[in-house]
Every structure is written in structure tokens, then in C-alpha cells.
């Protein structure tokens, strides 16, 4: 049975998470937030106090972590070995550590099957960096969602301020640029659009406009969703 997959890749802060969740709800498909797998591993690594250069220990840990994803109305709840880590998942430090350990090919290899297992009927929306290039290269629908670094930093800043978290726009901009650079320049599964992906620049679009463009793209290019 053919299970349709929509991949949404792009740099951090482009709106992938919000768009993917909304589109998966509209289609009634499952949702994979692959970044949260790397983030959860980052939290486990920090909890254990592992050295970020100790690839063998990180790989060993990656093979043993138990993750549970629970979709709730106000977002995704993630349990790591039975403990709710949702609050730490979105922290900048978690994202930065995730991007460091995600550069190790051995770590990516261990996490690959965990991600593939999300593909279940009636369909999957998968968001990340290498969904269309490595994890689901045969996906029927591929989107690469981007936005200028300046715009992404502004969005992230606004999000943090709204949550009452102290933030500094300059610092966020340089962290976003550093993370982009690391994700783009790594040797294994670098961030890049799949050759058959449609690119959407969300810099001047509202989130509703991006969702509408993705839905139009699926309607126009596929019949298996009907
Ligand atoms: O998307 P998110 O910001 O949650 O991802 C955190 C980090 O995890 C990214 O900066 C990237 O280095 C890594 N990641 C990855 N491949 C994915 C998803 C995330 O390398 N498919």
C-alpha cells in the first residue's frame, strides 16, 4: 500500500513546525518533528554530562533512549525515558547542542530507523533538514521552506518575548546564523533542498499563506490524498 509522505525541510525558524502541524491536521496524517528527536538526544546527553566530542558514548546513548511523542492541542509533549522534557525541548541551548551532535554521521545512522518508523497510514508529514533528501527520498511531496536569517531571528525573538523570556535580537541572529552554517556545511545529510522539492520563501508571507500554498501544492500534484 502506498503511504503518501510530505517532507518539509528548511533552516530553523522558517515556520516548518507550525506549517507541518497545521497541514498534518488538515490532511489527517501523522506528524514527525524530526528536530525533536535530535533535541531529545541532546537533553539526554546533557543530563548524563557526556562530553560533546565523545561520539561513541553519544551513539551508545542514542541506541538506548526511549522516546514517546504525544500530540496535544497546544503542541507536542515529549517523554524521554518516561520523563516529560517538553519544557526543555524548545530552549536555544538544546537546539544548539542538537545541531552539534546531529553533525556526527554515526548518530544520524542510529536515529534513521526511528524516523522511518513514523511512516504509517494514512500518511505522514515530516519536518526537518534531510527529510526529502535522506530519510524519505521517495516522498511524493517535498517542500523546502526558507526565510531570511533576519526574519527568522525576529520571529524567534518575538516568540521568546511573548513567553516572558528575556532575549537579545543580536545574539539570536548570530546563533541562528551559526546553526545554519553548521547544518549546511556538515558532510552528512547537510541542509539543502531535494532536487524535486518546491521552494517556498516565507519571509514576506503569513503562516496562513504558507499553509495555503502547501495545501495547493498537494492538491495540484497528487491524487492519492482524495
Ligand atoms: O528543527 P530543530 O530546530 O528542532 O532542529 C534542531 C537541530 O537538529 C538542527 O539545528 C539540526 O542540526 C538537527 N536536525 C537535523 N536533522 C533533522 C532535524 C534536525 O540534523 N532532520
Amino acid at each position: 500500500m502506498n503511504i503518501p509522505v510530505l517532507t518539509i525541510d528548511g533552516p530553523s525558524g522558517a515556520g516548518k513546525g507550525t506549517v507541518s502541524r497545521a497541514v498534518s491536521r488538515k490532511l489527517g496524517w501523522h506528524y514527525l518533528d524530526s528536530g525533536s528527536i535530535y533535541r531529545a538526544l541532546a537533553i539526554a546527553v546533557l543530563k548524563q554530562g557526556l562530553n560533546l566530542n565523545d561520539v561513541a558514548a553519544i551513539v551508545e546513548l542514542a541506541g538506548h533512549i526511549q522516546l514517546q511523542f504525544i500530540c496535544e492541542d497546544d503542541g507536542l509533549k515529549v517523554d524521554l525515558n518516561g520523563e516529560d522534557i517538553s519544557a526543555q525541548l524548545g530552549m536555544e541551548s538544546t537546539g544548539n547542542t542538537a545541531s552539534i551532535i546531529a553533525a556526527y554521521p554515526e548518530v544520524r545512522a542510529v536515529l534513521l530507523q526511528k524516523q522511518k518508523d513514523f511512516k504509517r497510514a494514512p500518511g505522514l508529514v515530516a519536518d526537518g533538514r534531510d527529510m526529502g533528501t535522506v530519510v524519505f527520498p521517495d516522498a511524493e511531496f517535498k517542500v523546502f521552506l526558507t526565510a531570511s536569517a533576519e526574519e527568522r531571528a525576529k520571529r524567534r525573538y518575538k516568540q521568546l518575548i511573548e513567553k516572558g523570556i528575556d532575549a537579545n535580537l543580536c545574539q539570536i541572529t548570530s546563533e541562528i546564523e551559526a546553526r545554519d552554517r553548521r547544518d549546511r556545511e556538515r558532510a552528512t545529510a547537510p541542509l539543502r533542498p531535494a532536487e524535486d522539492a518546491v521552494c517556498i520563501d516565507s519571509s514576506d508571507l503569513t503562516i496562513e499563506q504558507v499553509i495555503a500554498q502547501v495545501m495547493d501544492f498537494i492538491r495540484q500534484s497528487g491524487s492519492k490524498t482524495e
Side-chain angles (χ1 to χ4, degrees):
M1 175 192 171
N2 174 61
I3 300 175
V5 176
L6 161 67
T7 59
I8 304 190
D9 288 307
S12 52
K16 299 185 307 280
T18 313
V19 171
S20 303
R21 268 194 301 276
V23 171
S24 72
R25 264 199 299 270
K26 280 180 191 288
L27 293 169
W29 292 1
H30 298 281
Y31 169 50
L32 164 62
D33 169 5
S34 62
S36 69
I37 296 183
Y38 289 94
R39 283 172 182 265
L41 177 60
I43 293 169
V45 165
L46 294 174
K47 269 186 197 296
Q48 299 247 329
L50 298 183
N51 184 321
L52 295 183
N53 294 318
D54 191 347
V55 185
I58 298 172
V59 168
E60 166 79 15
L61 184 62
H64 288 98
I65 53 171
Q66 295 292 331
L67 288 176
Q68 236 196 326
F69 295 86
I70 305 130
C71 272
E72 295 189 337
D73 287 345
D74 53 349
L76 193 70
K77 177 172 173 283
V78 180
D79 283 358
L80 167 68
N81 301 331
E83 184 195 338
D84 183 1
I85 54 160
S86 316
Q88 301 148 65
L89 216 60
M91 289 163 60
E92 294 302 288
S93 53
T94 306
N96 291 329
T97 307
S99 136
I100 294 170
I101 60 178
Y104 298 132
E106 302 88 334
V107 171
R108 304 195 72 83
V110 174
L111 298 181
L112 188 63
Q113 193 57 44
K114 279 193 201 302
Q115 297 171 78
K116 285 181 183 284
D117 289 345
F118 277 77
K119 181 173 166 183
R120 279 175 281 128
L124 176 70
V125 179
D127 110 41
R129 303 292 186 290
D130 60 341
M131 297 295 100
T133 50
V134 176
V135 183
F136 302 108
D138 300 329
E140 206 168 331
F141 312 101
K142 296 184 186 179
V143 169
F144 192 81
L145 186 60
T146 185
S148 67
E150 195 194 355
E151 182 58 34
R152 289 183 284 123
K154 272 197 223 150
R155 289 178 191 168
R156 184 69 190 142
Y157 175 76
K158 197 165 154 253
Q159 256 175 12
L160 291 171
I161 296 295
E162 277 169 7
K163 282 191 200 157
I165 301 171
D166 211 16
N168 174 311
L169 185 58
C170 276
Q171 190 187 343
I172 293 177
T173 308
S174 63
E175 279 177 5
I176 279 200
E177 283 171 350
R179 185 131 72 95
D180 283 357
R181 207 171 311 118
R182 203 160 39 225
D183 289 349
R184 284 205 167 94
E185 292 177 0
R186 67 184 177 215
T188 309
L191 169 66
R192 63 171 175 81
E195 275 172 21
D196 48 350
V198 56
C199 287
I200 300 177
D201 185 333
S202 73
S203 304
D204 299 318
L205 299 176
T206 64
I207 213 77
E208 289 74 24
Q209 287 171 321
V210 179
I211 294 167
Q213 284 199 11
V214 174
M215 290 303 293
D216 282 349
F217 161 64
I218 291 181
R219 279 190 211 104
Q220 281 159 18
S221 51
S223 55
K224 298 188 179 74
T225 56
E226 281 144 27

